[in-house]
Amino acid sequence: MEKPTNNRAWLLVLPVLGVVAFSAVIPLMTVVNYSVQDILGPDQHVFVGTEWFRKVLRDPELHGALRRQLGFSLAVLAIEIPLGIGLALALPMKGRAASVAIVVLALPLLIPWNVVGTIWQIFGRGDIGLLGVAINGLGLSYNYTADALDAWLTVLAMDVWHWTPLVALLCYSGLRAIPEPFYQAARIDGASAWATFRYIQLPRLRGVLTIAVLLRFMDSFMIYTEPFVLTGGGPGNSTTFLSQYLTRLAVGQFDLGPAAAFSLIYFLVVLLFSYVFYTAMTQAGRSEAQ
């Protein structure tokens, strides 16, 4: 006799569904509504279909912001992932030194984003900032408030300083999870440090590296507070990324229709790139396992 199913347990999920609907679904539907209408007043709106989407996609400022965003996110991944792996390998695995090293490494992660921008705003100044004074003292011209390349590199260095510890901690947790017999077998076979890393540690880190790549890509692709505090998007538009472009549309110009259309495009772009990264890394893992 089949045991009856008690569907009343689904009632326990209703509060969670209510919170998700209130915090995510309803705002998303509002954005979709705004993206296909021209808001003329509180009670005046005209359906315009895909006009705002076409307008936003043809905007040359959006194209420039997208190029800067992609370059920044790829640079973040190219620097933070190898650097995080190297830091994780250099950390002690046991003893009190391991605890101290982890606490010190995690300190940048505890600083709020706006405070990070303020710290680097002072740190990079050419008159009183340690970084700015040191670079100018070497005979190099450095001024992140006037030079576009200096500003972009300063934002990149700030992000690397702030978020590389996250990658390092994720990799460190993956290294700690590798059973000791793997290392014992490597020592018996006379494997070098590189061979141990290549054939034991790196394959075992693939899961946490996938998480690290996705987290860092999504976060860097949506970066806003740090460059806004540090440079305000300047000089010119050199550090104006997609999030600042969106804020300018929605808040600065109060173009709710184009801003809503771009919000949906922005959301889909992040999902698309995250899916591509995830698929590529999982496929690489499967091909190596075969």
Side-chain angles (χ1 to χ4, degrees):
M1 183 177 179
E2 185 179 353
K3 185 177 179 180
T5 303
N6 186 0
N7 292 320
R8 288 181 298 177
W10 288 102
L11 296 176
L12 300 175
V13 186
L14 289 180
V16 176
L17 293 178
V19 172
V20 172
F22 181 77
S23 63
V25 177
I26 293 177
L28 179 61
M29 292 300 101
T30 303
V31 171
V32 173
N33 184 42
Y34 281 168
S35 68
V36 295
Q37 297 190 66
D38 189 1
I39 309 299
L40 305 177
D43 299 320
Q44 297 178 322
H45 49 83
V46 179
F47 180 78
V48 296
T50 60
E51 178 182 343
W52 297 136
F53 291 91
R54 293 195 299 269
K55 177 182 177 181
V56 168
L57 290 174
R58 293 170 182 168
D59 190 351
E61 290 190 15
L62 170 63
H63 302 160
L66 179 59
R67 287 192 296 269
R68 288 187 294 272
Q69 188 72 74
L70 285 173
F72 177 79
S73 296
L74 292 177
V76 162
L77 293 179
I79 296 174
E80 293 184 10
I81 299 301
L83 185 57
I85 295 174
L87 287 174
L89 292 171
L91 289 175
M93 289 293 174
K94 298 178 181 179
R96 182 174 298 178
S99 301
V100 174
I102 291 174
V103 171
V104 173
L105 181 65
L107 286 179
L109 299 175
L110 304 178
I111 305 176
W113 295 334
N114 58 332
V115 178
V116 170
T118 304
I119 291 173
W120 278 79
Q121 189 179 54
I122 299 172
F123 186 53
R125 286 182 54 172
D127 53 351
I128 62 173
L130 181 61
L131 176 65
V133 171
I135 294 178
N136 290 326
L138 295 174
L140 302 175
S141 177
Y142 171 79
N143 187 352
Y144 73 85
T145 62
D147 187 271
L149 180 60
D150 290 346
W152 192 87
L153 292 175
T154 303
V155 173
L156 178 61
M158 176 178 60
D159 193 88
V160 169
W161 173 82
H162 192 195
W163 289 111
T164 298
L166 175 63
V167 180
L169 292 176
L170 287 172
C171 294
Y172 184 77
S173 65
L175 292 174
R176 289 290 298 268
I178 299 177
E180 182 61 26
F182 284 87
Y183 294 110
Q184 293 175 355
R187 287 192 293 268
I188 293 173
D189 292 339
S192 64
W194 168 250
T196 302
F197 172 74
R198 173 66 180 82
Y199 296 105
I200 295 179
Q201 294 173 323
L202 187 58
R204 294 275 172 169
L205 288 177
R206 190 170 302 280
V208 295
L209 285 178
T210 301
I211 296 173
V213 168
L214 292 177
L215 285 177
R216 289 308 306 128
F217 173 78
M218 289 188 294
D219 187 66
S220 65
F221 209 81
M222 298 184 292
I223 189 173
Y224 173 78
T225 306
E226 297 99 317
F228 177 76
V229 174
L230 178 63
T231 64
N237 290 324
S238 59
T239 56
T240 299
F241 300 118
L242 291 177
S243 57
Q244 291 165 292
Y245 173 83
L246 174 59
T247 303
R248 183 184 302 171
L249 275 180
V251 180
Q253 303 174 10
F254 208 68
D255 290 337
L256 297 182
F262 176 66
S263 297
L264 295 176
I265 296 172
Y266 198 4
F267 174 68
L268 294 176
V269 167
V270 173
L271 282 183
L272 175 63
F273 278 105
S274 299
Y275 174 76
V276 169
F277 276 118
Y278 176 78
T279 303
M281 295 192 71
T282 51
Q283 289 294 335
R286 290 171 185 167
S287 62
E288 286 192 4
Q290 292 176 354

